[in-house]
Amino acid sequence: SGNRVLILFEGRDAAGKGGTINAVRQYMNPRTARNVALPKPTETETGQWYYQRYITHFPTRGEFVTFDRSWYNRAGVEPVMGFCTPGQHKHFLKETPRFEKMIVGDGIRFFKFWLDVSQEMQLKRFHDRRHSQLTNWKFSPMDIAGIARWDDYTRMRDLMLEETHTEHAPWTVVRSNDKRRARIETIRHVLLTLDYAGRDLDKIGKPDGKIIGAGPKQVMK
């Protein structure tokens, strides 16, 4: 169809972002469907407009781009871990709805998913990750530091959702304790939102309200 599709995946560590992205992209053409997972900013990037390094990876005509974490680092990880100033955090929350209005206004189909995992499930996944020879590379010092800052991340999450859940760029919250159901509901939401030739609504099915919903009220406390 020539549409440009941009999807952000956010959530705590071990919320299932990577696995959900893989499920979304599994049967798509890798030439037109790509994932972006940026490392920490370089010295040059820290001197740029904050959103600049993300814009470089935006989709062109006919592309489907997913972000495994995005500019919303400044709404969660950075303020909690002290990687930005309170002033930078406040400025981000004010400017981001305006920035995202430009994205939508230019015709990009824009999705924001928050994968919501419980503290108990996060700890279980950390334990499994730490003791697996296949996935222990995922377990990082940031994960360890984040365990003790659960409440801080919760406050930042709630503030982020409150300030950046807008009519033009709403947050879709997916409860991700059950990985399979979370992945299905994420895919279903995209398919129900995008119109395309041959779409079969009966096969796509209806959303599961126990797993997926819109806005701050959907998150687990």
Side-chain angles (χ1 to χ4, degrees):
S1 66
N3 276 324
R4 293 169 291 163
V5 180
L6 177 62
I7 306 182
L8 310 186
F9 285 89
E10 295 289 343
R12 301 178 194 263
D13 294 321
K17 297 180 291 298
T20 304
I21 291 170
N22 288 339
V24 169
R25 300 176 61 248
Q26 184 174 1
Y27 299 108
M28 300 183 73
N29 187 340
R31 292 186 176 88
T32 55
R34 55 185 172 86
N35 186 52
V36 179
L38 298 182
K40 67 179 183 180
T42 64
E43 185 176 349
T44 297
E45 289 170 338
T46 58
Q48 296 173 343
W49 182 41
Y50 178 71
Y51 306 97
Q52 187 168 337
R53 76 187 193 118
Y54 299 100
I55 293 173
T56 302
H57 301 278
F58 275 21
T60 188
R61 185 168 49 249
E63 274 197 322
F64 185 103
V65 176
T66 54
F67 272 79
D68 186 345
R69 295 195 182 276
S70 66
W71 49 90
Y72 279 99
N73 282 336
R74 181 142 292 179
V77 174
E78 290 190 17
V80 170
M81 303 304 295
F83 297 155
C84 72
T85 67
Q88 288 173 324
H89 176 232
K90 183 178 180 180
H91 181 74
F92 172 84
L93 294 177
K94 178 182 178 182
E95 292 300 318
T96 294
R98 302 176 186 177
F99 170 62
E100 292 175 352
K101 195 166 188 175
M102 289 191 290
I103 295 173
V104 176
D106 200 56
I108 294 176
R109 305 303 300 271
F110 185 43
F111 297 83
K112 300 189 302 189
F113 287 105
W114 175 266
L115 302 188
D116 203 36
V117 66
S118 69
Q119 188 173 22
E120 181 181 4
M121 181 57 70
Q122 185 193 54
L123 291 173
K124 179 183 182 303
R125 290 177 183 174
F126 278 159
H127 178 272
D128 294 345
R129 180 180 294 181
R130 174 66 179 84
H131 295 282
S132 168
Q133 293 185 1
L134 297 177
T135 61
N136 59 20
W137 60 270
K138 293 183 178 182
F139 194 68
S140 69
M142 287 290 290
D143 292 335
I144 297 172
I147 291 173
R149 293 178 169 84
W150 177 271
D151 291 340
D152 293 334
Y153 273 110
T154 298
R155 285 191 291 271
M156 290 299 104
R157 176 203 66 186
D158 292 348
L159 182 59
M160 177 195 77
L161 293 175
E162 180 181 342
E163 296 294 330
T164 62
H165 177 65
T166 60
E167 184 177 352
H168 59 270
W171 277 103
T172 300
V173 176
V174 183
R175 296 184 173 184
S176 62
N177 279 356
D178 185 324
K179 290 182 178 180
R180 183 175 183 274
R181 294 174 75 187
R183 293 168 184 176
I184 289 172
E185 290 307 317
T186 299
I187 294 170
R188 194 197 316 273
H189 179 74
V190 174
L191 295 179
L192 288 174
T193 304
L194 298 177
D195 193 12
Y196 56 92
R199 184 172 66 162
D200 188 332
L201 295 178
D202 289 334
K203 287 184 178 179
I204 295 171
K206 296 181 179 180
D208 183 349
K210 295 179 180 178
I211 302 297
I212 193 167
K217 294 182 179 180
Q218 181 70 15
V219 295
M220 293 180 281
K221 300 300 182 181

